[in-house]
Amino acid sequence: MVAQATHDKTSHQITLLHASRRLVDLPLRGDFEQLARDNPNFVYVMTVESAPGGWQGEQGRVDADMVRKYVSDLHQPIYYLSGPEGMVKSMRTLLVGLKVNEDNIRTEEFTGY
């Protein structure tokens, strides 16, 4: 979706909060970094639980404070949650707790992690 929006030069504002245990485990990290350089409307935020020395990015799990930091109007976006079932369920619960309209939340779980 980000690649298509970049290719089409849409004005959609897109923010990706991309979380993993370790920096090396962030799938497609290089692709997202390039898309962020190519698309001024795309903000790529990496967060890791175990950060390497000198890490300047976000650390820890995505929580309500992090969502509020990067999403100025919580009620405006369509949220796409994708990943392991437990993470998707917990993010959905977090967003509902922030009073996000459930009709604005899309989910896709991946099993076998």
Side-chain angles (χ1 to χ4, degrees):
M1 289 171 29
V2 177
Q4 191 65 51
T6 301
H7 175 269
D8 294 346
K9 299 184 182 343
T10 69
S11 61
H12 294 92
Q13 298 296 312
I14 303 169
T15 301
L16 173 59
L17 301 179
H18 198 192
S20 190
R21 287 188 180 96
R22 300 177 310 151
L23 188 60
V24 298
D25 295 331
L26 287 167
L28 304 173
R29 173 184 166 203
D31 295 330
F32 288 128
E33 288 173 326
Q34 184 62 52
L35 288 165
R37 287 189 291 274
D38 295 343
N39 185 344
N41 297 319
F42 174 50
V43 176
Y44 179 49
V45 180
M46 294 175 278
T47 183
V48 293
E49 289 182 35
S50 178
W55 174 249
Q56 299 294 313
E58 295 288 347
Q59 190 168 354
R61 293 178 181 227
V62 175
D63 60 14
D65 289 335
M66 190 181 298
V67 173
R68 283 191 289 264
K69 179 177 179 179
Y70 291 101
V71 181
S72 58
D73 180 355
L74 297 175
H75 307 290
Q76 183 67 29
I78 302 295
Y79 294 85
Y80 293 90
L81 310 176
S82 181
E85 180 181 2
M87 184 279 298
V88 170
K89 286 181 179 180
S90 107
M91 286 304 305
R92 183 178 187 80
T93 299
L94 183 144
L95 292 173
V96 169
L98 290 170
K99 307 295 188 227
V100 168
N101 183 332
E102 291 189 59
D103 291 340
N104 291 343
I105 303 172
R106 312 288 190 271
T107 64
E108 184 171 358
E109 293 106 15
F110 294 100
T111 59
Y113 276 85

